[in-house]
Structures are given as structure tokens and as C-alpha cells.
Amino acid sequence: MTEEQGVFIHPQRQINGDITVPGDKSISHRAALFGGMAKGNTHIMNFLPGQDCLSTLSCLKALGVNWERRESEVWIQGQGLENWTEPQDVLDVGNSGTTFRLMLGVLAGSPFASTFTGDESIRKRPMRRVTGPLLEMGVKVLGRQEGNFAPLTIQGGDLKGGVFKTPVASAQVKSAILLAGLRASGETWVIEPALSRDHTERMLRGFGVEVWSEGTQSRIIGGSKLTAQDVSVPGDISSAAFFLVLGSLMKKGELLIRKVGVNPTRTGILDVLLKMGADIQLENYAEICGEPRADLRVRPSELHGVEIQGEIIPRLIDEVPILAVAASLAKGETVIRDAAELRVKESDRISTVVEGLQALGADLEELPDGMRITGKTRLRGGRAKSHHDHRLAMSWTIAGLLSEEGVSLEGIEAAFVSFPSFLPLIEQVTHI
Ligand code: S3P
């Protein structure tokens, strides 16, 4: 779908349902990538068939990795990373920062050139945070603004390990360095200012690689090879977040969201919603393929404002747009700080969220590293734009359902990046 699509979201007062959300985006990317790097057959269950993860699959194909996909199941015939071949054309990562940054790390040790590009948003996203450490390890990089922006080419080669202190907590940066470290001489360490999501470390262990980590430090020893594994992907808590907020703020009803990933590096949204007074229960906790999952039961409640800052930020960074919707309908003030990273996401999510919610009648102001939201406002409704940002498209849909007059939304198709079944699921639980 390329045309901008307009939809009108009518207000709703009741929610009911027993649903599953699609597979976790971060884990799906890694399962495909690691399956392609390993020797042997990897079967991925509940793979997210969203555009971002499909970009990872198509880059793998361009690098000589064979796979087959049927809806949310993927079979990869891994030949080992040393058998990847030079791509015949530019690698298109679409809108996917994870594809881009993780691939840079993986290809750093491959003795050929790879050129990357993507959509308008990806070409504005900073890559020096990855290409900087990779340069130190021994790759050659040529890209716009001294290797900071796509289109960007790397020439891989012999790498040396080292100790890398990253200036921001970013799982994409940490993962790229660790993946390059797999083929570097000696040890490669990453030290982060706060702990980012740890799916790479967990899944690499599942694929038989020794990764040491403690707190904000992780280390990998060069030379380890991956062994193929079957991977079952839990539901994406970042997708479940839209339904958690909707279920909390509806007047009536109850929603059960099954098999949601509850890795502690991702559950900041649960901690914050519970602190705001939400009624959310965790049931049927289990750990599968190194990743915890649980069913989440949510019922309506009165929410109140909270302060969100410091080490929790990387644990909820993708949920800030929907949390801002929740905060505008919660009593009192919510302040979000230490979240300047939002400015370099799929859109500048500090300004797009503040302007977008103001246009719907909410009372909030922009801060350099976050926002201040004063609730509880009347969310009147009105016109909204996704700015080609999937999380905005879905946040404005939830805002429309919770508004007084509804929302006319431009660009809902952006949701396909991470949640292709979003609108049908919304229809299912609200019975529109
Ligand atoms: C991701 C890491 C986060 C997150 C993104 C997915 C990942 O980005 O925002 O949606 O899969 O590693 P950063 O690593 O830049 O924080």
C-alpha cells in the first residue's frame, strides 16, 4: 500500500475480547538474522509479517540466504555467515532501523561491499552511533555526512575487538557491536549508560554462542559460530500497549491479551500503567526460547499522572506516543524526561506527539528531552496525521476511539510496519 489512506475513527465506550497480538518485532528480526547466520535449518513460529521484518527477510535473500515464509511461519536454510555473498544491488531496509543497524554489524566481518538505503525516514536516522564503533573495529564506511546517513556503503574485513562505551542506551547499537564482535579478534565489550532490550544476548545464547552480560555490560568472544534453532516468538508488548491503554480507559468491558512477551527490558509500559492506577493482571507466565511471556488481563480504571524518567526510559521508549494519549486522559500532570532519543525515531516523536495531541484537544507542552502533559483533558477529536510513523498511526486510532467526536486519520497504512492486523483487531474488540 503506498497511497495515503484516510479513515474516520468513531468514538467507542465498550471493549471486550480475547486476542493475541502479532509476534514481537525485535525478536522476529533477530530470529531471521540469526537463522541466516547459523548452519542448519531454523523454523520460526509466530514471526511478525510486518513490513519491517519483511525488509530483514528480503535483505537476507539478497545476501544469498534461502528461506520460505507462509504467513507467520518462516523456514531458513542457514549455510553459515561465511557463505553469505556480495549483494548484486542496493539493500533496501525500507523503514526499519533494526534491519539497517543489525545488518551493519553482521556484515562488518564479510569481505565484500554492501550498500544500504531505505525510505525518507530511514535516510534521516543517525548511523554514526553504529558506523563509529565499526570503523574502530576495522570496517570501511562511506555514506552521506561522513558515514552518518544512508545511502551508505560498508566494506567489511578483518576486525579487532575492543571496549565500546555507548553514549545512548540502544539495543540496535549494542547488538551491531556484539554481532561484529562475533568475527573480531579477541573480546568485544559494550558498556551502556542504561540497560537496553537484551533480546540479542538471550537469543545468541539459544543459538549456542557464549555471551556474558551483567547490568549494563556485555561481552562476546570472537570466533563463535551459531547453531540453528527453532524459535517461537512471543506477542509484541509494544503492540499490546495500544490495547492496554484502550482497555484501561474504556468505560466498560474486559480484554485478555494472550502470550505477550514480558522480558523485563521491555515492561516499562506495564510498570508505568500500574503506577498510574491501571487494572492489569499477569496470568500464565512461562519462559519459552529464553523469553518470558504471559497473558495480560486489562479492565477499565481511573488513571492518574506520573513522572517518567531515568533508567525506565529505554524499557518503554517505543510506548511514549501511546502513553502520552493515556496521560492526557489521566488526572493530574505527567512529565516525561530523559527521552531525547525520541527525536531520532521514525519521526521526531517529541514534536509529532505534542502537536498531534494538541490538535485533538489535549493540553501538553514540548520539553527538550520529553513532554509535560496536563490531564485530564477533554479529548475532543479532530484531524490527525501519522507522518508515516506506525506508532503514531496506532496512537491516533486509540485517541479517536477514546475521543468525544472521533478522529479523521491520514496515513493509517503506516501501521503495517509493525502491526498488519491492527485495524481488524480493533474492530473485533470494539465491535464497530
Ligand atoms: C529496537 C531497539 C530500539 C527500539 C526499536 C527496536 C531493537 O531502538 O526503539 O523499535 O529491535 O533493537 P534503539 O536501539 O535505537 O533504542
Side-chain angles (χ1 to χ4, degrees), residues 27-282:
I27 299 176
S28 296
H29 280 298
R30 287 158 174 81
L33 205 53
F34 299 174
M37 293 162 70
K39 268 210 166 97
N41 295 329
T42 287
H43 176 199
I44 311 170
M45 286 150 282
N46 202 33
F47 180 83
L48 168 65
Q51 280 160 358
D52 262 16
C53 298
L54 299 182
S55 294
T56 290
L57 283 181
S58 70
C59 288
L60 283 171
K61 193 142 270 178
L63 289 153
V65 177
N66 286 324
W67 50 261
E68 264 174 61
R69 180 175 75 86
R70 237 177 287 137
E71 290 168 12
S72 56
E73 267 187 286
V74 180
W75 292 265
I76 302 182
Q77 293 114 47
Q79 302 290 325
L81 186 48
E82 59 282 10
N83 289 312
W84 286 23
T85 50
E86 188 171 65
Q88 301 294 300
D89 202 346
V90 174
L91 296 168
D92 185 355
V93 301
N95 188 248
S96 177
T98 309
T99 308
F100 196 173
R101 294 192 175 126
L102 268 58
M103 277 283 178
L104 284 172
V106 176
L107 292 171
S110 295
F112 51 72
S114 310
T115 302
F116 292 88
T117 195
D119 69 7
E120 199 184 323
S121 145
I122 208 82
R123 283 182 270 117
K124 288 188 196 140
R125 298 187 66 187
M127 293 298 140
R128 190 171 298 120
R129 48 181 61 194
V130 173
T131 55
L134 295 183
L135 272 169
E136 280 183 50
M137 294 176 87
V139 298
K140 295 197 183 82
V141 180
L142 198 62
R144 289 193 300 124
Q145 296 190 27
E146 294 169 25
N148 199 19
F149 297 105
L152 185 154
T153 299
I154 65 160
Q155 166 71 50
D158 290 340
L159 304 177
K160 58 176 191 312
V163 179
F164 298 93
K165 279 196 174 171
T166 58
V168 286
S170 160
Q172 294 176 353
V173 174
K174 171 175 65 179
S175 303
I177 299 171
L178 290 175
L179 291 169
L182 269 177
R183 291 199 284 178
S185 59
E187 296 183 351
T188 300
W189 290 71
V190 182
I191 304 171
E192 299 190 278
L195 180 61
S196 65
R197 61 191 68 186
D198 65 356
H199 305 302
T200 294
E201 298 91 300
R202 286 173 185 249
M203 200 185 292
L204 278 177
R205 288 185 195 114
F207 277 76
V209 174
E210 198 190 310
V211 188
W212 174 89
S213 51
E214 203 175 288
T216 56
Q217 306 194 359
S218 37
R219 183 207 64 191
I220 208 158
I221 300 170
S224 318
K225 296 265 193 280
L226 282 73
T227 309
Q229 290 297 312
D230 290 349
V231 182
S232 165
V233 181
D236 197 327
I237 192 165
S238 298
S239 298
F242 300 103
F243 289 89
L244 292 173
V245 168
L246 186 63
S248 296
L249 289 166
M250 278 285 181
K251 296 273 173 286
K252 282 202 282 185
E254 180 178 313
L255 197 58
L256 182 64
I257 317 169
R258 292 188 191 265
K259 297 182 185 160
V260 179
V262 288
N263 177 318
T265 60
R266 296 285 299 282
T267 47
I269 175 78
L270 291 179
D271 296 356
V272 166
L273 285 175
L274 289 170
K275 206 165 146 202
M276 291 175 87
D279 179 355
I280 301 172
Q281 276 160 16
L282 266 72

Side-chain angles (χ1 to χ4, degrees), residues 6-9 360 381-385 396 400 405-410:
V7 285
F8 190 80
I9 310 293
L360 301 181
R383 298 175 75 85
K385 277 187 183 176
W396 302 156
E405 295 167 12
V407 164
S408 168
L409 171 60
E410 201 180 292

